[in-house]
Amino acid sequence: MDGDINREDSMVTDVSPESEQYFTGGGSRPDFLELVYGVLFDPVKTMETVARRPPVGLALLVFTILCVSDVTVGLLAVSRAMTAGLYDAGLQILPFSRVLAPLGAIFGLLWGYVKWFGYSAFIHLAAELLGGKGAATGVFVVVGLAGLPSIFMFPVNLLSFWLGTGGLVIIVLAGLATAVWSVVLLVIGLKQVHGLTAGRSVLVVMSPFLILLVLLMLIIAALVALAVSVPFEMNGPGYF
């Protein structure tokens, strides 16, 4: 009898790492390289893991790298424009540019974080209004990781500096491709975090832009209505 009990105890306690991962649902957090590769090339499984245990620190690192690359490209573009235009006009502003460049880099980084927080909060609220049950932390991490495809724009932009105006088509096509890729990743991640359908996830992702479009249409309609209501044959001073 005691031997049977001991055998049963050993069967319970002797669990292999593979079995433990199976019973826990594979919830172990990936490292940095695994996370980057998984988001880009195996997004469904990776976003499922991210939704279960959001890696906030890794998402912050990824987003910071993306912001630094964007700011670097922006500073290069501004520097080239100033060198080509203002210096040819005889305006020597190199001392000022040395002061403004660090300030521009800091502002660019801060603005990137503000957009990250704001957009994450907005789509989290929109997802909850559409029946989502996820956590804000998961949405925050998903939004930060969904921008990973933009890292491929860094070499594209550097190539465009070498090609000059001939690289404009490459930039446009590459930018469109990375934007679509990021939207797809965001939809997948939001679907995993909030448990929404694909259609509702797309609606949530596009909701800020749809609201801006509606507001723009309302402003245009109000301006048109105001223009129509004003008499055509009016004398300015006498009208007032």
Side-chain angles (χ1 to χ4, degrees):
M1 182 70 178
D2 293 338
D4 294 338
I5 295 177
N6 292 332
R7 282 195 299 271
E8 291 177 357
D9 291 339
S10 63
M11 291 175 63
V12 172
T13 57
D14 187 15
V15 180
S16 63
E18 293 81 9
S19 300
E20 184 177 0
Q21 186 178 10
Y22 174 78
F23 287 118
T24 57
S28 59
R29 290 182 179 178
D31 58 24
F32 178 77
L33 294 179
E34 290 175 342
L35 181 64
V36 171
Y37 178 85
V39 170
L40 292 175
F41 304 109
D42 192 11
V44 176
K45 292 182 179 179
T46 304
M47 288 300 186
E48 183 180 357
T49 303
V50 167
R52 189 161 46 242
R53 299 183 62 188
V56 179
L58 291 179
L60 180 62
L61 177 59
V62 168
F63 191 83
T64 301
I65 293 174
L66 297 177
C67 282
V68 169
S69 65
D70 290 340
V71 169
T72 302
V73 171
L75 290 178
L76 289 175
V78 172
S79 175
R80 181 172 182 177
M82 292 171 62
T83 302
L86 298 178
Y87 278 11
D88 292 341
L91 299 177
Q92 301 296 326
I93 58 171
L94 184 58
F96 297 98
S97 64
R98 289 177 177 176
V99 176
L100 294 177
L103 295 178
I106 294 174
F107 177 79
L109 290 175
L110 293 178
W111 178 242
Y113 293 126
V114 169
K115 290 193 298 182
W116 183 18
F117 277 91
Y119 184 67
S120 300
F122 190 96
I123 65 172
H124 175 65
L125 176 61
E128 286 190 338
L129 292 176
L130 290 178
K133 302 298 181 182
T137 305
V139 176
F140 180 71
V141 171
V142 164
V143 173
L145 296 177
L148 261 173
S150 64
I151 196 65
F152 295 109
M153 289 299 298
F154 186 74
V156 171
N157 285 314
L158 293 181
L159 179 62
S160 70
F161 286 124
W162 179 63
L163 294 176
T165 57
L168 182 60
V169 176
I170 299 177
I171 293 179
V172 172
L173 294 178
L176 181 61
T178 54
V180 173
W181 194 352
S182 295
V183 170
V184 171
L185 292 177
L186 189 54
V187 170
I188 293 173
L190 196 63
K191 185 171 180 253
Q192 294 294 337
V193 171
H194 274 286
L196 298 172
T197 62
R200 290 193 175 188
S201 298
V202 172
L203 182 60
V204 169
V205 170
M206 302 303 297
S207 59
F209 308 100
L210 294 176
I211 291 177
L212 289 177
L213 180 61
V214 171
L215 291 177
L216 180 61
M217 294 176 63
L218 291 176
I219 292 174
I220 294 175
L223 292 176
V224 171
L226 180 62
V228 172
S229 63
V230 174
F232 289 101
E233 298 178 356
M234 70 176 187
N235 190 346
Y239 180 77
F240 292 99

